[in-house]
Amino acid sequence: MTRDSVIVIDEMLSMIDFIEISMSDKTQSDFQQDMMLRLAVERAIEIVSEASRHLPTDLLAREREIPWNSIRGMGNVLRHEYHRVASEVILDVITGDLPPLKAALLRLNKDGQTAD
């Protein structure tokens, strides 16, 4: 079943906002020591990853600089390789990958992408 792109983008932005709020004023040490925080952030990243799978290819093509395949694959890594994911990897995703993804999603929203 095809999902409405507007709703999917809103879900992704909501999870990114949740991560930003949850991580505000947190250090790497805070993140490593707070299991609840880490699990919540990892779950939010999984949701972003899964939601990205519901965006149509033509919409993704509007934001070619975003590594959509990596975003889609991150959920699988968190689900199946969780025992090998270091907190530094998650922090890199938060600081390096989520800001450009959020900007791209906001542009797609602003451009008034079509509902599917």
Side-chain angles (χ1 to χ4, degrees):
M1 181 166 119
T2 304
R3 294 189 58 211
D4 183 325
S5 297
V6 174
I7 293 170
V8 173
I9 289 172
D10 285 344
E11 290 170 349
M12 293 173 73
L13 287 169
S14 176
M15 288 297 103
I16 293 170
D17 287 343
F18 170 80
I19 293 167
E20 290 173 343
I21 291 165
S22 297
M23 291 300 296
S24 67
D25 301 324
K26 300 290 189 224
T27 65
Q28 181 174 348
S29 178
D30 293 335
F31 183 73
Q32 290 172 332
Q33 294 175 13
D34 187 340
M35 181 65 76
M36 188 73 76
L37 174 64
R38 182 169 170 169
L39 291 173
V41 167
E42 287 180 5
R43 177 64 178 142
I45 292 170
E46 280 183 53
I47 292 169
V48 168
S49 172
E50 183 60 29
S52 73
R53 293 172 176 269
H54 296 280
L55 295 175
T57 305
D58 62 322
L59 190 62
L60 301 181
R62 296 182 193 176
E63 294 291 338
R64 294 185 191 279
E65 76 283 355
I66 300 299
W68 296 108
N69 287 335
S70 295
I71 292 167
R72 290 174 170 188
M74 184 59 163
N76 286 333
V77 171
L78 290 172
R79 282 186 290 279
H80 303 292
E81 301 294 327
Y82 60 89
H83 58 284
R84 293 203 263 177
V85 178
S87 60
E88 293 83 9
V89 171
I90 300 300
L91 291 169
D92 284 345
V93 168
I94 293 166
T95 59
D97 298 330
L98 290 184
L101 175 60
K102 181 178 182 178
L105 293 170
L106 290 170
R107 283 190 299 272
L108 290 172
N109 260 356
K110 183 180 175 192
D111 290 346
Q113 76 284 358
T114 58
D116 297 320

